[in-house]
């Protein structure tokens, strides 16, 4: 399956390995889904993962109270349903258990602690050259392959905005990826920067630990109930889109949301002019599905504040001129793709690390390049792309393997004819 080739250029410090199949970068849900599809068709592959486990975002960079925001049937990976005894909205620990069972079931064994430093297509030989370093930095390996699957996803790196005076603040500052629970914030005044699902849930969690969160809302945000009329809001949207155009579904969801949640603008939560589904499709901005934060906002336990002007020792100045005395800051400022930092000389991905072609046409590039997990449609979108990628690679791999066998048989016949 994999053959080690001596690299005469730097024999003692670098190994060169030929992969008779695709190299998959990333062992999150997207990479696992592609690997499972290839396993089912007996196509060899290798998965490279920079962390020491599968689904490192879920295992190492999420808060304890996190649950799937959508019902489990919309989050399962191909050919492997969730256990029936799991709740409708599995916890992060149940989802991790599910992913580990998925990897075990399909016998997927990633190469851990392997960071891809660069991947470049070699036009001379018609191959991808994927260079990795081990976590220690001592081991350098170059993988050669015909197909490259980028499965690092939209959330590979945390986004940390720059704020004037933050270095003078003096209190504790962390990104939401390092937050686990409000235990260490009891009785503290905490500024939560960001009002997406993470910002809302971190603020709610802080309240449950008797902290005093103030949540920065810099721009407009869609907030919808997690369920409408006993059905998941997402499930209702899926059903409605079978009958109505997207703009009409947006209007229906907003009307129902306002009827259930009321007018949220008086609490500082201004609604965008573009509907929630259209905004998700065009900008990748996910609507907030409320699981209790709004109740705390209405009661004043979570304070909504405008944007930040600057920090100073022990406090922050807001754009409206007011000052807040605070003890710590949590940046719920999201994540981004890291593809531009390592995928070289390609025009398939845009500058922000997302494929230029929108869903459902963003999974296949040129020269054997594929992308999974960039649909801005969550796990269900990643699963659809994974199915397409695995099928396409398997078809090409089988055709090439067949041609090689024919070529070998032909050479064998010619050799026999000489005797």
């Amino acid at each position: 399956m994999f053959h080690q080739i001596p690299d005469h250029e730097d024999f003692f410090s670098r190994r060169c390995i030929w992969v008779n199949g695709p190299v998959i970068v990333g062992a999150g849900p997207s990479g696992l889904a592609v690997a499972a599809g290839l396993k089912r068709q007996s196509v060899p592959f290798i998965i490279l993962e920079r962390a020491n486990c599968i689904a490192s975002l879920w295992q190492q960079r999420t808060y304890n109270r996190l649950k799937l925001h959508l019902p489990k049937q919309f989050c399962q990976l191909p050919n492997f349903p969730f256990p029936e005894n799991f709740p409708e909205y599995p916890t992060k620990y149940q989802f991790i258990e599910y992913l580990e069972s998925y990897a075990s079931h399909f016998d997927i064994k990633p190469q851990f602690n392997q960071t891809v430093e660069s991947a470049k297509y070699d036009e001379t030989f018609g191959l991808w050259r994927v260079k990795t370093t081990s976590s220690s930095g001592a081991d350098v390996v170059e993988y050669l392959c015909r197909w490259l699957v980028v499965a690092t996803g939209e959330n590979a790196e945390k986004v940390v905005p720059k704020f004037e005076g933050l270095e003078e603040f003096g209190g504790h500052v962390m990104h939401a990826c390092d937050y686990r629970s409000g235990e260490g914030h009891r009785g503290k005044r905490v500024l939560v920067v960001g009002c997406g699902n993470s910002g809302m849930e971190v603020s709610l969690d802080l309240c449950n630990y008797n902290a005093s969160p103030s949540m920065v809302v810099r721009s407009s945000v869609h907030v919808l109930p997690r369920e409408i009329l006993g059905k998941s809001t997402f499930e209702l949207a899926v059903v409605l889109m079978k009958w109505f155009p997207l703009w009409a579904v947006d209007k229906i969801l907003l009307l129902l949301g306002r009827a259930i949640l009321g007018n949220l603008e008086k609490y500082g939560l201004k609604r965008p002019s573009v509907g929630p589904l259209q905004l998700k499709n065009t900008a990748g901005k996910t609507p907030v599905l409320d699981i209790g934060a709004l109740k705390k906002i209405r009661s004043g336990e979570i304070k909504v504040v405008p944007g930040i002007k600057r920090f100073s020792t022990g406090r922050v100045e807001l754009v409206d001129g007011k000052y807040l005395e605070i003890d710590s800051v949590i940046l719920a400022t999201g994540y981004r793709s890291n593809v531009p930092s390592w995928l070289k000389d390609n025009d398939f991905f845009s500058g922000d690390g997302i494929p230029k072609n929108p869903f459902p046409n963003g999974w296949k590039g040129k020269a054997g390049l594929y992308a999974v997990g960039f649909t801005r449609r969550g796990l269900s979108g990643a699963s659809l792309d994974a199915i397409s990628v695995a099928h396409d690679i398997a078809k090409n791999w089988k055709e090439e393997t067949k041609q090689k066998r024919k070529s070998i048989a032909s050479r064998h016949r010619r050799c026999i004819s000489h005797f």
Side-chain angles (χ1 to χ4, degrees):
M1 188 187 299
F2 313 118
H3 304 286
Q4 188 165 317
I5 303 169
D7 190 329
H8 300 289
E9 185 181 297
D10 195 4
F11 182 80
F12 292 104
S13 62
R14 184 171 70 174
R15 290 181 294 137
C16 195
I17 296 176
W18 164 249
V19 181
N20 183 28
V23 166
I24 303 169
V25 183
S30 298
L32 295 177
V34 174
L38 294 170
K39 273 278 184 180
R40 283 167 57 86
Q41 301 196 60
S42 302
V43 178
F45 61 86
I46 193 168
I47 299 186
L48 303 174
E49 169 56 49
R50 64 180 176 177
N52 61 357
C53 62
I54 64 167
S56 62
L57 175 65
W58 286 86
Q59 299 214 51
Q60 301 174 351
R61 293 183 285 158
T62 51
Y63 41 92
N64 295 343
R65 66 164 289 126
L66 178 64
K67 294 183 178 181
L68 293 179
H69 293 127
L70 306 181
K72 61 184 180 183
Q73 66 265 31
F74 297 106
C75 300
Q76 65 190 28
L77 301 185
N79 305 301
F80 197 78
F82 277 93
E84 289 186 10
N85 65 330
F86 274 27
E88 186 174 13
Y89 299 95
T91 66
K92 89 165 191 177
Y93 301 105
Q94 289 170 323
F95 186 56
I96 291 167
E97 180 187 338
Y98 166 77
L99 292 176
E100 288 176 338
S101 297
Y102 190 86
S104 176
H105 177 79
F106 291 105
D107 193 29
I108 300 168
K109 297 174 181 176
Q111 302 289 312
F112 293 121
N113 300 309
Q114 294 293 316
T115 299
V116 174
E117 299 292 343
S118 66
K120 186 175 182 179
Y121 187 68
D122 187 326
E123 293 186 7
T124 302
F125 296 101
L127 299 170
W128 286 93
R129 293 180 172 270
V130 184
K131 181 182 175 183
T132 69
T133 56
S134 61
S135 53
S136 66
D139 192 22
V140 179
V141 180
E142 186 174 57
Y143 295 91
L144 305 178
C145 58
R146 276 278 293 109
W147 303 280
L148 176 66
V149 181
V150 179
T152 47
E154 305 159 3
N155 303 313
E157 302 289 347
K158 62 185 178 183
V159 174
V160 181
K162 291 184 178 179
F163 294 102
E164 185 182 349
L166 187 59
E167 66 281 355
E168 303 168 19
F169 168 57
H172 184 57
V173 180
M174 68 162 65
H175 191 273
C177 69
D178 298 313
Y179 177 89
R180 295 297 172 265
S181 79
E183 181 63 47
H185 299 273
R186 289 183 184 274
K188 300 289 181 66
R189 300 161 297 180
V190 185
L191 186 72
V192 179
V193 183
C195 60
N197 280 297
S198 293
M200 289 275 192
E201 289 189 32
V202 167
S203 298
L204 175 60
D205 193 57
L206 287 165
C207 283
N208 293 339
Y209 283 90
N210 298 317
S212 300
S214 297
M215 184 175 66
V216 175
V217 180
R218 294 171 291 174
S219 58
S220 55
V221 58
H222 280 298
V223 183
L224 297 170
R226 186 171 70 171
E227 294 184 342
I228 296 175
L229 305 174
K231 271 190 177 294
S232 140
T233 301
F234 181 80
E235 187 177 359
L236 178 63
V238 170
V239 172
L240 289 172
M241 282 194 290
K242 292 178 181 177
W243 302 96
F244 301 103
L246 187 140
W247 65 266
V249 177
D250 268 342
K251 281 189 175 295
I252 294 168
L253 292 178
L254 290 174
L255 286 170
L256 291 171
R258 182 168 180 129
I260 295 168
L261 302 177
N263 180 12
L264 301 180
E265 288 201 21
K266 61 183 177 181
Y267 300 107
L269 301 172
K270 187 178 178 182
R271 196 174 73 191
S273 57
V274 178
L277 298 181
Q278 187 181 348
L279 193 63
K280 174 68 174 168
N281 287 353
T282 55
K285 199 170 179 182
T286 304
V288 172
L289 297 176
D290 179 54
I291 59 169
L294 281 181
K295 183 179 178 182
K296 302 290 186 182
I297 290 172
R298 290 191 186 98
S299 70
E301 292 173 81
I302 297 175
K303 295 180 176 63
V304 174
V305 299
I308 296 165
K309 185 174 182 182
R310 75 180 312 276
F311 286 90
S312 55
T313 305
R315 67 178 186 171
V316 61
E317 182 184 357
L318 305 171
V319 292
D320 62 0
K322 294 180 181 177
Y323 288 87
L324 279 181
E325 303 291 325
I326 54 173
D327 300 303
S328 57
V329 177
I330 298 174
L331 302 172
T333 45
Y335 300 87
R336 64 177 167 228
S337 165
N338 69 355
V339 174
S341 69
W342 57 269
L343 184 61
K344 308 301 181 184
D345 303 332
N346 94 97
D347 59 1
F348 180 60
F349 284 85
S350 58
D352 61 358
I354 303 295
K356 292 178 181 178
N357 294 328
F359 181 82
N361 301 312
W363 59 270
K364 185 176 181 179
K366 297 175 182 176
L369 178 64
Y370 297 87
V372 183
F374 300 89
T375 64
R376 291 173 168 159
R377 282 166 171 76
L379 291 163
S380 58
S383 292
L384 289 173
D385 275 359
I387 292 169
S388 298
V389 168
H391 175 77
D392 198 65
I393 291 176
K395 183 184 70 173
N396 291 330
W397 182 84
K398 287 173 182 177
E399 286 177 358
E400 289 199 7
T401 302
K402 188 177 178 181
Q403 289 301 320
K404 285 176 186 174
R405 285 173 180 164
K406 281 184 177 179
S407 177
I408 291 170
S410 177
R411 286 200 300 270
H412 182 63
R413 284 195 297 270
R414 284 200 300 271
C415 287
I416 291 172
S417 69
H418 288 302
F419 289 96

